[in-house]
Amino acid sequence: MMQESKIIVENSGALNVPDCPVIPFIEGDGIGPDIWAATVRVLDASIEQAYTGTKKISWLEVFAGEKGFEKSGSWLPDETLNKIREHVAAIKGPLTTPVGKGFRSLNVTIRQKLDLYACVRPIRYIEGVPSPMKHPEKINMVVFRENTEDVYAGIEWAKGTREAERLIAFLESEMKIAISQDSGIGIKPISETASKRLVASAIRHAIDHGLGSVTLMHKGNIMKFTEGAFKEWGYETAEELFGDQTVTEAALWVKYDGVCPEGKVVIKDRIADMMFQQVLLRPEEYQVIATPNLNGDYISDALAAQAGGLGLAPGANIGDRCAVFEATHGTAPKYAGQDKVNPGSLILSGAMMLDFIGWQKAAEKIRKAVQKTICDRVVTYDLARQLEGARKVKCSEFATALIERL
Ligand code: NAP
C-alpha cells in the first residue's frame, strides 16, 4: 500500500508532489455523477499504465452544490474550500447555481474565495470531431481569462434599490453625470495587480511551452481606463518581467523585419470584437490569448464551438496556492442520471490536472486515447448526431472505449 500524503507548494512556487497525493473531487450536480464516474476510471487507468503502479491518486470526496446542501445545509461548505486549499489541486463536476435572489454562482464563488485568478482553457482541434470550420486543425490556442474581477465581480444593484439610487445621485451631484433613474447599476473594476498577474501567467505559459505569441484581447478603444489599461499593463508586464524573452509586434517590424527572433514570444493586442473575426479567419496566428473576465468567457466558448463543441472543452482555474480543474459545460439537468452525455470535457480537464502535478506521461496517454476513440467513431450522442457512421455509446461505455485505447 502506498502512503498517501499532501501536495506541497514550495516557497519558490514549485509543487512537491508525492507518489500518492490526496486530491479532492466534487462530483457535481445534474450530469456530474455520470461524467465523474467515467472520468475517475480513465484517470486511474492512465496513471496505472503510465507509471506501472508506482503512482496513484488517493481521491477525497468533498461536497458542494446539491450534495453539499443535503449533507450540511450549505451549498458551498467552508470545509470544502479548506480541503481544496490544503490539498492544492482539485477537480470538480458542474454545479447548479441555485435559482433565487441573493445566490451567486457557486463556480464564481469558488474562483473568488480561493483566488484562482487565471481561468485557463486550451482549445485544440481533435481530429475526427465534426466542426463548423473549414480548417479546424488550425485552431490551437490557450485562453487565459482573468477570473476575479471585471463585471463578473458581482458588484451590482437592481433598479430602484436604495444603493442604486444613492449611486445615481452621487454621480449626478459629484461627477455631473446624468443616469436614468430607472437604471440597474454594475461596476467594472479592473486592477493593475490582477491584470499583471494574469498576463504574467499567460506569458510564462507561452515561454514554458514554446508558443509563439501572446495576444492581449481588450475593448480599450471604448473602455479606456479598464480594458485599455489592461492592455497597457499587459505590455508593461512583458517588458518588466520578460524583457529578454518577448518582443512586441510593433518592435518586430521596426527591429526584426517582421521575423520573430528564435525563442522569443511576440506580444500583440487586438480589440475584442475584431478578435472574434480573427479566430475565425486566421486562427493560426494566435497561440495564447490573455483577456479580462467577460471577454474571456465569450471567446473561450466561441473557440470551443469552432473546435467542435463544449462537450470536449477542458478548463482549469489556477491561482498561486491552488487550482481547480473543471468541465466547461454546465449540469445539463435534462440528461442527469441517463449515462448519456459526453464525459470528454471533464476527462480532458483531468488530463490538465495531471500536467499540473507533473504527471504528463499519463496526461498525454489520455489525450491520445481521446483522439483515437473519436477517430474510431466511438462517440456519445452529441458527436454521433454529427458524425456519419458513428457508433453511439453511453457515457460509461465511452470511458471503457477510451481505457481500451490508452
Ligand atoms: P449546460 O448544462 O452546459 O447544457 C446546455 C447544453 O449543452 C445541453 O443541453 C447539451 O446540449 C450540451 N451539453 C452540455 N454538457 C454536455 C456534455 N457533457 N455532453 C454533451 N452535451 C452537453 O448549460 P445550461 O443548461 O445553460 O446550464 C445548466 C446549469 O448548469 C445551470 O444551473 C448553470 O448555472 C450551470 N452551469 C454550471 C457550470 C459549471 O459548473 N462550471 C457552467 C455552466 C453552467 P443538447 O441538449 O443540444 O444535447
Side-chain angles (χ1 to χ4, degrees):
M1 263 271 287
M2 258 181 277
Q3 184 64 40
E4 62 178 44
S5 53
K6 288 180 200 166
I7 297 173
I8 309 273
V9 185
E10 310 275 12
N11 287 338
S12 64
L15 297 188
N16 183 338
V17 180
D19 285 336
C20 185
V22 177
I23 296 197
F25 69 93
I26 297 170
E27 196 178 48
D29 299 324
I31 54 172
D34 282 350
I35 59 173
W36 171 248
T39 299
V40 70
R41 285 173 51 217
V42 172
L43 294 179
D44 285 345
S46 71
I47 295 164
E48 167 69 30
Q49 288 197 23
Y51 304 107
T52 53
T54 59
K55 290 185 194 295
K56 183 178 185 300
I57 289 175
S58 171
W59 298 106
L60 170 70
E61 182 163 17
V62 292
F63 302 102
E66 286 161 11
K67 225 169 168 181
F69 191 73
E70 264 166 42
K71 301 241 172 230
S72 68
S74 165
W75 294 93
L76 184 57
D78 284 343
E79 196 193 339
T80 295
L81 293 172
N82 291 338
K83 287 269 185 255
I84 295 174
R85 253 185 227 109
E86 185 184 333
H87 291 95
V88 182
I91 183 164
K92 67 173 274 291
L95 293 172
T96 308
T97 293
V99 180
K101 286 195 175 161
F103 278 114
R104 299 202 50 211
S105 154
L106 297 179
N107 303 298
V108 174
T109 310
I110 290 174
R111 293 168 197 162
Q112 288 185 347
K113 293 237 171 177
L114 297 173
D115 199 23
L116 306 174
Y117 60 82
C119 176
V120 182
R121 292 191 177 166
I123 298 112
R124 184 192 292 172
Y125 177 65
I126 297 176
E127 207 190 316
V129 175
S131 151
M133 299 282 285
K134 281 192 184 147
H135 289 288
E137 72 286 354
K138 291 183 178 174
I139 303 167
N140 189 0
M141 291 175 223
V142 188
V143 177
F144 278 71
R145 161 187 169 195
E146 204 290 323
N147 232 353
T148 63
E149 45 182 37
D150 198 353
V151 282
Y152 275 48
I155 311 168
E156 54 178 10
W157 296 281
K159 177 198 97 169
T161 55
R162 194 168 161 269
E163 292 85 353
E165 282 172 3
R166 280 183 69 194
L167 207 49
I168 290 169
F170 170 81
L171 289 170
E172 207 168 291
S173 64
E174 302 292 320
M175 308 284 183
K176 310 294 173 229
I177 289 167
I179 290 182
S180 176
Q181 287 297 326
D182 59 354
S183 302
I185 304 262
I187 303 273
K188 179 181 175 79
I190 301 253
S191 70
E192 181 174 353
T193 307
S195 302
K196 284 189 163 177
R197 68 181 180 174
L198 184 272
V199 174
S201 63
I203 297 177
R204 209 168 289 120
H205 180 90
I207 292 169
D208 291 349
H209 294 83
L211 303 175
S213 69
V214 173
T215 302
L216 307 167
M217 174 187 176
H218 62 92
K219 190 68 185 163
N221 54 332
I222 307 294
M223 293 172 271
K224 297 182 194 311
F225 307 122
T226 50
E227 303 247 342
F230 175 89
K231 176 190 81 170
E232 297 306 328
W233 292 323
Y235 279 116
E236 280 173 28
T237 304
E239 197 181 326
E240 288 162 5
L241 299 182
F242 307 99
D244 293 345
Q245 294 142 297
T246 58
V247 56
T248 63
E249 194 173 32
L252 192 64
W253 289 99
V254 175
K255 285 195 197 160
Y256 304 104
D257 211 15
V259 181
C260 184
E262 179 86 18
K264 291 214 191 224
V265 176
V266 179
I267 310 294
K268 41 191 170 182
D269 75 277
R270 297 287 183 272
I271 293 192
D273 40 354
M274 215 264 284
M275 195 66 199
F276 282 90
Q277 296 178 34
Q278 293 282 303
V279 296
L280 279 169
L281 301 175
R282 284 144 60 179
E284 66 277 21
E285 291 180 17
Y286 300 93
Q287 285 76 48
V288 177
I289 298 172
T291 190
N293 210 334
L294 179 63
N295 298 337
D297 199 3
Y298 293 161
I299 194 80
S300 47
D301 272 25
L303 279 169
Q306 282 177 229
L310 281 179
L312 282 168
N317 300 290
I318 302 180
D320 288 333
R321 308 306 298 176
C322 62
V324 176
F325 296 80
E326 65 174 342
T328 50
H329 56 73
T331 57
K334 65 180 172 184
Y335 298 124
Q338 294 177 26
D339 191 17
K340 173 170 176 150
V341 294
N342 189 347
S345 174
L346 192 59
I347 290 172
L348 290 169
S349 304
M352 282 179 82
M353 186 181 77
L354 296 178
D355 283 332
F356 179 78
I357 64 170
W359 295 6
Q360 283 91 353
K361 201 171 160 193
E364 208 38 49
K365 268 187 175 292
I366 294 175
R367 282 188 282 265
K368 285 198 175 132
V370 169
Q371 169 81 77
K372 189 148 191 350
T373 311
I374 292 171
C375 275
D376 290 346
R377 294 173 183 260
V378 181
V379 290
T380 44
Y381 86 97
D382 51 319
L383 297 181
R385 65 190 168 189
Q386 305 170 64
L387 253 186
E388 224 172 278
R391 178 153 77 84
K392 184 169 95 175
V393 293
K394 294 177 178 177
C395 176
S396 56
E397 292 167 344
F398 182 77
T400 304
L402 215 150
I403 291 167
E404 284 164 7
R405 289 164 178 78
L406 277 171

